[in-house]
């Protein structure tokens, strides 16, 4: 089994074992769903012992939560990278919107973050994960766009815009044209900024 091989430092073996478990779990959760994936399958695919799994994670749900946290962090990182620290708020939000759709195009990510994640962990836990992996950047971007400090109404607006992004990602994953949703989200963001969106008059 993987965790017993060679004479590498314990820290390296520990890191590799954890990585193997997360990789195997992600693949199985995407392929079969959370409910139909068992821990015996996970350790078999990861090529580690059952004891290794419970050394790193309390149970299957804890392992799943960590997979979700990694996926959410990856989405946030792609959005942050796209926006640019010095971009005007409108440009930053629109580029961030497009980056979100890029990030959610990763195989299995819609299922993990928008379907199984909320069903297994619940909305409160998903909100916590979102906050801790960069979800506050949307609120900050909206505040900069509209020109006022974040407040409860702004938080509600950020929640509504976030839900719109998620609904768009689900539609795209089920075959809708991405260009249509990118354009619609840009129109929505420009409207929030108080701009009159340009129309195609052809």
């Amino acid at each position: 089994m993987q965790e017993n091989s060679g004479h590498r430092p314990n820290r390296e073996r520990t890191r590799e074992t954890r990585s193997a478990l997360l990789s195997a779990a992600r693949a199985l959760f995407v392929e079969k769903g959370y409910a139909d994936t068992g821990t015996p399958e996970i350790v078999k695919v990861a090529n580690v012992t059952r004891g290794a799994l419970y050394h790193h994670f309390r149970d299957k749900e804890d392992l799943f939560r960590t997979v979700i946290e990694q996926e959410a962090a990856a989405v946030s990182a792609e959005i942050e990278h796209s926006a640019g620290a010095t971009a005007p708020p409108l440009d930053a939000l629109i580029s961030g919107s497009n980056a979100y759709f890029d990030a959610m195009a990763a195989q299995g990510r819609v299922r993990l973050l928008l379907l199984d994640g909320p069903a297994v962990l619940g909305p409160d836990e998903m909100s916590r994960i979102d906050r801790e992996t960069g979800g506050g950047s949307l609120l900050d971007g909206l505040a900069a766009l509209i020109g006022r400090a974040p407040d409860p109404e702004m938080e509600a607006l950020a929640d509504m815009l976030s839900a719109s992004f998620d609904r768009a990602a689900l539609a795209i994953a089920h075959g809708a044209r991405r260009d249509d949703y990118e354009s619609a989200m840009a129109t929505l963001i420009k409207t929030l900024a108080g701009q009159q969106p340009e129309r195609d008059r052809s």
Side-chain angles (χ1 to χ4, degrees), residues 74-142:
V75 172
S76 178
E78 289 194 40
I79 293 171
E80 290 293 327
H81 178 73
S82 75
T86 60
L90 178 60
D91 294 343
L93 277 173
I94 291 176
S95 63
S97 170
N98 296 338
Y100 172 79
F101 293 132
D102 283 338
M104 293 303 290
Q107 193 265 341
R109 194 165 275 167
V110 164
R111 178 173 193 168
L112 290 170
L113 291 180
L114 303 184
L115 298 175
D116 285 3
V120 174
L121 301 177
D124 290 344
E125 183 67 358
M126 291 300 293
S127 293
R128 178 197 67 78
I129 291 170
D130 181 61
R131 288 193 304 271
E132 293 183 0
T133 55
S137 61
L138 178 57
L139 176 60
D140 294 339
L142 277 175

